[in-house]
Every structure is written in C-alpha cells, then in structure tokens.
Amino acid sequence: MPELPEVEVTRRKLAPSLVGRRIAKVHTTRASYFFLTPPARLARELPGAKLVGLERIGKYLLVGLDDGRRLLLHLGMSGQLVTAGASSVRLLSASKRASLAPEEQTRFRPDAHTHLRLEFDDGGPELLFRDVRKFGKVRLLEKGASDPRLDRLGVDALDVTGARLFEATRGRRVAVKSVLLAQDVIAGVGNIYADEALFAAGIRPRRPAGRLTRIECDALARAIRKVLLRSIETGGSSISDYLAPDGADGAYQDERRVYARGGEPCLVCGTPIRRIVIGARSSHYCPRCQR
Ligand SMILES: [Zn+2]
C-alpha cells in the first residue's frame, strides 16, 4: 500500500512533466466507487484546464488547475500513477505476466484497470491512473472547497515533532503502533514505516502510548522523519504494486530492518524478529533491541 514516501516520490517525479500542460481530453472507465466525482463530469469539465501545481497532503495528491479547482487523487491500496511510455511488469495482471516472456513485458498500454487517462493539448505523454483493486479515489474539488478526508488529517509525518507525539499520546492506553497509524494524529505513516520507525527508536509496537517518555517521543519523531526521508531518497518501497510514474521500482524494501521479516534474524543482534497482530495489522519487532 503506498504510504507517504511513495506518494511523495510520485509527486516529485510527476510535477515537472505535468505542470504547465493543458488537458485536451479525459478517458475513464464507467462510474464506480473509484470516482467520487462522476466520470462523465470529469470528461466534460476537465478539458481546457491547465495544470498549475502538484501538492501532497498526507497520502493524497492534489493537482492544482488554473481556474482554482483541484483534482484530488488517492492511490488507495494498489493505485499506480504513471506517464504513458512507462514500462514495468507491475503494470501487467498476474495472468498476463505469466503468459509473456520477460523481454515482452515492456511498454505499458492502457488496460481495463486504467480508470483515468488525461490527454494533453501538446500531444505529449498522457497521465494514466491504473488501479486493479479500485480502492483509489478521484474527486474534483471546486475552487476554495476542501474534502472531509483532508480536513481530518493530522500533522504531516515529515513535520512530526516529539512535542506533538507526546501531547497526542498522553492518557492513551492504546498501543503506540496504533497511534502511529491513526491518520488524524500523523498523516502519511502506514504499516511499513511505523514498524521501521519503532525499531529505529528502540520502542516495542505494543507499548501503551501514554507510557512513552518525552525523550522516547523525541526519538520516535526523529526516527519517523529519518525512515520516511530515506525511503523517499531510495524511491519508496515496491513490495506489491507500487512503482514510480516512469515505471521504476523503489528500493527501500531492501533496507527494511523488521517489516515482513518475521522469524528472520535481527540485523543488529541476531534475535529472530517477532511478528504480532495489533489492531488487525501485522507488526514486526526485535524483542531484544526494542523495549
Ligand atoms: Zn535486535
């Protein structure tokens, strides 16, 4: 599932190739829960609009239009935002992948899972939003309008401080891991980076949040920022579907210390990494390095 780093990498790679271009035509699949704004309306109202900015809030992307409206995009579980010409086996269905020789799994062509496709008046590369599981979202926001999904978000994870974490956890008996995943406290942290940050800070995921000391909150805030920035630097994590707009894979999955390493030795002390379930999500930690 794309988290803050993957969305930020997408934003950084897409912005230079999108900003300044004018939409000529919009192609969509038929109406579904993927479209918070009916696809027919997108096809009618977007052509003619010029893209003036690409912003990220938490795990959401906001495409600024020259008339003040904004296009809200969320990648959901398996969303892929790519430019035409992107090449990756992650853009093929499993059955199609199996039927093709590796050297034939090249240039992507829009398929049944490509729910939104923007053509530009310069005739250059199109923007494609593909999502096999359709948990992604598209919504056109009127000028000055917001969305409840954005209004509910807490501080952006790249800006989180120990003071904010300390304040948000006082009096809370819930596991610290659950607080990290609550988007209304910190926006952008998901399962991978919560586990990695807790390991880096030496804190067990099941610790009651309210028992964290101020010093531990400082260490945890630092660890969150560090883990996220390092992931952005390496292009994000490509564990299942995520890929960059040009089709490139991220490399952060190769730097994971605990996430999805249950039973494998801790890279610091050799103790087997433990996998537990907290709030229906799997959590991974080293019982020796984390207290
Ligand atoms: Zn360890």
Side-chain angles (χ1 to χ4, degrees):
M1 175 172 189
E3 301 182 21
L4 185 152
E6 292 76 39
V7 179
E8 179 62 18
V9 169
T10 298
R11 190 193 70 78
R12 290 183 187 185
K13 289 202 175 184
L14 274 184
S17 61
L18 285 186
V19 172
R21 301 175 75 196
R22 197 174 292 280
I23 299 171
K25 201 169 178 194
V26 176
H27 306 264
T28 69
T29 49
R30 60 200 169 98
S32 70
Y33 51 84
F34 178 85
F35 294 102
L36 297 174
T37 298
R41 214 186 117 202
L42 295 175
R44 196 171 58 236
E45 294 194 12
L46 284 177
K50 189 171 161 186
L51 277 45
V52 293
L54 186 58
E55 191 192 351
R56 179 190 60 76
I57 301 180
K59 302 181 202 174
Y60 292 88
L61 282 173
L62 282 159
V63 183
L65 304 175
D66 60 348
D67 56 12
R69 292 181 302 169
R70 296 180 299 169
L71 193 61
L72 176 74
L73 305 173
H74 190 263
L75 296 177
M77 299 286 286
S78 57
Q80 300 168 320
L81 265 177
V82 294
T83 46
S87 156
S88 167
V89 292
R90 292 182 200 279
L91 288 164
L92 298 169
S93 64
S95 56
K96 186 138 193 212
R97 240 180 254 184
S99 70
L100 290 175
E103 60 274 18
E104 287 165 15
Q105 300 177 349
T106 52
R107 209 176 114 82
F108 170 67
R109 283 170 197 84
D111 58 6
H113 304 296
T114 308
H115 302 294
L116 182 69
R117 178 156 67 95
L118 302 184
E119 252 180 62
F120 297 94
D121 69 355
D122 57 15
E126 299 174 353
L127 176 69
L128 313 157
F129 191 170
R130 181 174 187 268
D131 190 353
V132 172
R133 296 176 68 180
K134 283 211 297 198
F135 289 115
K137 293 279 171 266
V138 175
R139 183 180 175 191
L140 183 59
L141 296 172
E142 291 306 321
K143 188 176 179 177
S146 189
D147 182 284
R149 292 165 187 78
L150 300 178
D151 301 338
R152 278 197 296 265
L153 295 178
V155 60
D156 193 82
L158 287 181
D159 299 323
V160 73
T161 60
R164 174 75 192 107
L165 270 182
F166 189 70
E167 178 205 52
T169 50
R170 288 316 87 188
R172 304 208 42 196
R173 301 171 62 130
V174 64
V176 58
K177 168 78 182 273
S178 302
V179 173
L180 296 188
L181 294 183
Q183 299 297 302
D184 57 347
V185 179
I186 309 170
V189 179
N191 219 18
I192 303 174
Y193 301 106
D195 280 3
E196 294 298 321
L198 285 165
F199 176 78
I203 298 167
R204 289 196 185 192
R206 207 146 34 192
R207 278 271 297 283
R211 298 241 186 96
L212 260 58
T213 65
R214 177 58 205 268
I215 289 171
E216 286 176 319
C217 287
D218 286 343
L220 185 52
R222 255 196 320 275
I224 292 168
R225 295 192 307 262
K226 196 175 158 197
V227 159
L228 294 175
L229 287 171
R230 177 59 191 159
S231 181
I232 291 169
E233 220 173 83
T234 59
S237 298
S238 286
I239 289 176
S240 51
D241 303 290
Y242 174 75
L243 76 169
D246 53 2
D249 276 353
Y252 188 77
Q253 64 276 10
D254 302 332
E255 300 195 8
R256 283 172 298 129
R257 298 280 191 269
V258 287
Y259 181 79
R261 292 194 67 243
E264 293 176 42
C266 170
L267 299 172
V268 174
C269 73
T271 306
I273 297 299
R274 208 168 277 174
R275 178 185 177 278
I276 55 172
V277 175
I278 300 173
R281 309 288 301 275
S282 62
S283 290
H284 312 80
Y285 72 99
C286 172
R288 186 151 172 209
C289 295
Q290 292 170 259
R291 300 278 159 180

